[in-house]
Amino acid sequence: MSGSIKMNEADDQLNLQQVYGGKCRFCAAPLRHRFVDLGMSPPCQTHVSRSDLNSVERFYPLVAFVCDSCYLVQLLEYVGPDDIFSEYAYFSSYADSWVEHCRRYCHDMIQHLKMGAHSLVVELASNDGYLLQHFIAQSVPVLGIEPALNVAKVAIEKGVRTEVAFFGVATARRIVAQYGQPDLLLGNNVLAHVPDLNDFVAGMKLLLKPGGVITMEFPHLLQLMRNNQFDTIYHEHFSYFSFTTVSAVFAAHGIRLFDVAELPTHGGSLRIFGRHDIDPAAVLTSRAADLLRLEQDQGIGSIDFYQAFEANVKRTKRNLLKCLIGIRDAGKTIVGFGAPGKGNTLLNYCGIRTDILDYTVDRNPYKQGKFTPGTHIPILHPATIAATKPDFVLILPWNLLDEAMHQFAHIRSWGGKFIVPIPDVRILD
């Protein structure tokens, strides 16, 4: 006898439900299927100060599930939004390419919706005013809603009117009473951050003006899976959306997603467009219909589609460690570029610490002088790279690869090279 017994699928599902006890945050069906297990990890933006290096850090399971009813990929709420977002280390303005992306969006929406001084734009999770500042420059009134006080203060100092609040039905009612309803309601990379998905989308329904438009941007689950982007899974990303599933979520609250654009940002994102479902302008476009059809053809509505992802993740981990260990064994030095949330998932899942990565650098002064969560890698000023001349730079925010290679093109002067970990490890001269 082999001495081991392999559980059948039914037993595996039963054990997942017994151990984790999770229910889908959209449809409340039991969560019986694991998407990927990334081990234990601390919240990704809890950068550690030097004085706390000897203190206990809290680690939580980083396990993603897929609902076999609505096919929403999701984490359980291991860490509440108050713990994650009340004070936040991510400032959008430090990513130049992202700010330019948002400037172009503002210009396009002003033209398309014919907005001006008579209009109102409301952004959910408006961060440091990185986007709304472009509407203000064109004399379009704005309101940002941002839960992190430290980040909201920066926006307010820029002249971006901002309310410090978590968004949902209660906040929507207050905003309507105080400011009125927006012509454009938007949110970039916020929908994934919402634990109470139904309350959030119901709040958007209440807030949106009749005849108004919603746009939301978020990474596309299909691209996450195709390109092995497992590091975009972390505790503050509660949900991961296909166009099929997000359409069902909004439809349940009286919003029809009538159009969608596929974007290159963050490794492949969607920009969805929604209107009240009774709005005669909410006519499904051909590209929305085409994407729904494509997702169905790919298998997005079958649980089998999700089963191969975890094996790809494990293979990538082994290949990355093999590459990094080989470089260090050859006597070469490696440092990091960036200290993003995705980087902390990668570092903790792969067990990459200062025995492999000497330090990482980040433009955000809020992170400089601190250490990465869990792995305690020093976060330094970008000028440190020129001073120490490392042999290799590991690009942790691989979605900003072009920006990073431009910013650090000078490493070629001493023979330095870049390492890109996702979707598969690559070394770039």
Side-chain angles (χ1 to χ4, degrees), residues 51-103:
S51 60
D52 289 332
L53 282 175
N54 291 328
S55 300
V56 174
E57 280 184 271
R58 291 188 176 184
F59 282 63
Y60 301 89
L62 194 52
V63 182
F65 301 88
V66 57
C67 175
D68 58 11
S69 179
C70 68
Y71 301 102
L72 178 65
V73 173
Q74 60 200 282
L75 301 182
L76 300 183
E77 188 179 340
Y78 301 113
V79 189
D82 286 335
D83 294 325
I84 295 173
F85 299 113
S86 294
E87 183 170 358
Y88 200 42
Y90 179 73
F91 291 75
S92 297
S93 291
Y94 287 109
D96 294 339
S97 57
W98 175 246
V99 174
E100 174 57 21
H101 165 79
C102 294
R103 186 196 65 78

Side-chain angles (χ1 to χ4, degrees), residues 10-332:
D11 289 339
D12 191 36
Q13 291 176 11
L14 179 62
N15 278 340
L16 282 173
Q17 184 61 24
Q18 288 176 339
V19 171
Y20 295 100
K23 291 186 177 181
C24 177
R25 65 173 35 87
F26 169 50
C27 72
L31 294 176
R32 300 178 297 184
H33 299 271
R34 187 176 65 229
F35 180 59
V36 66
D37 184 349
L38 298 174
M40 301 289 291
S41 183
C44 69
Q45 296 289 357
T46 54
H47 301 91
V48 181
S49 63
R50 185 174 297 275
S51 60
D52 289 332
L53 282 175
N54 291 328
S55 300
V56 174
E57 280 184 271
R58 291 188 176 184
F59 282 63
Y60 301 89
L62 194 52
V63 182
F65 301 88
V66 57
C67 175
D68 58 11
S69 179
C70 68
Y71 301 102
L72 178 65
V73 173
Q74 60 200 282
L75 301 182
L76 300 183
E77 188 179 340
Y78 301 113
V79 189
D82 286 335
D83 294 325
I84 295 173
F85 299 113
S86 294
E87 183 170 358
Y88 200 42
Y90 179 73
F91 291 75
S92 297
S93 291
Y94 287 109
D96 294 339
S97 57
W98 175 246
V99 174
E100 174 57 21
H101 165 79
C102 294
R103 186 196 65 78
R104 293 195 301 269
Y105 161 85
C106 294
H107 177 269
D108 291 346
M109 295 307 292
I110 288 170
Q111 297 295 316
H112 182 68
L113 299 179
K114 298 179 173 56
M115 290 191 291
H118 60 283
S119 308
L120 176 62
V121 176
V122 173
E123 182 183 9
L124 308 178
S126 50
N127 203 263
D128 60 4
Y130 71 103
L131 184 148
L132 291 179
Q133 63 185 346
H134 302 300
F135 282 112
I136 292 173
Q138 298 299 317
S139 301
V140 178
V142 304
L143 173 68
I145 302 174
E146 170 56 49
L149 177 60
N150 66 312
V151 179
K153 283 181 177 178
V154 176
I156 293 167
E157 289 168 0
K158 293 178 179 177
V160 178
R161 182 171 60 172
T162 305
E163 288 278 336
V164 180
F166 286 98
F167 185 74
V169 168
T171 300
R173 288 180 176 142
R174 181 173 63 80
I175 295 299
V176 169
Q178 187 171 352
Y179 299 98
Q181 294 175 295
D183 304 272
L184 174 62
L185 174 59
L186 71 108
N188 286 345
N189 301 307
V190 59
L191 198 61
H193 292 69
V194 178
D196 193 340
L197 188 58
N198 289 310
D199 180 62
F200 189 88
V201 178
M204 296 178 73
K205 169 71 174 176
L206 285 172
L207 184 54
L208 184 66
K209 178 186 288 188
V213 173
I214 289 171
T215 75
M216 306 287 286
E217 293 184 24
F218 49 83
H220 188 191
L221 176 64
L222 200 60
Q223 296 300 331
L224 183 156
M225 295 178 68
R226 281 177 175 172
N227 297 308
N228 200 24
Q229 297 164 357
F230 67 89
D231 56 342
T232 59
I233 297 172
Y234 40 90
H235 294 110
E236 60 184 58
H237 282 177
F238 295 101
S239 303
Y240 305 82
F241 298 98
S242 65
F243 186 51
T244 301
T245 296
V246 78
S247 296
V249 172
F250 277 82
H253 296 281
I255 297 290
R256 187 175 196 196
L257 301 186
F258 65 93
D259 196 10
V260 63
E262 296 182 79
L263 309 172
T265 52
H266 298 290
S269 295
L270 298 181
R271 178 186 292 153
I272 57 174
F273 298 81
R275 292 182 181 270
H276 291 289
D277 56 9
I278 60 172
D279 188 334
V283 178
L284 193 70
T285 65
S286 59
R287 64 179 179 177
D290 288 345
L291 184 55
L292 289 171
R293 191 178 306 111
L294 171 67
E295 289 188 343
Q296 291 306 310
D297 290 344
Q298 292 288 313
I300 209 85
S302 167
I303 206 69
D304 293 340
F305 175 69
Y306 303 86
Q307 300 304 306
F309 183 70
E310 189 165 54
N312 292 335
V313 171
K314 291 176 179 178
R315 186 191 68 250
T316 298
K317 173 180 177 176
R318 292 191 296 267
N319 290 341
L320 177 60
L321 286 174
K322 187 185 302 182
C323 171
L324 298 179
I325 291 169
I327 290 170
R328 292 308 303 248
D329 283 348
K332 304 293 186 180

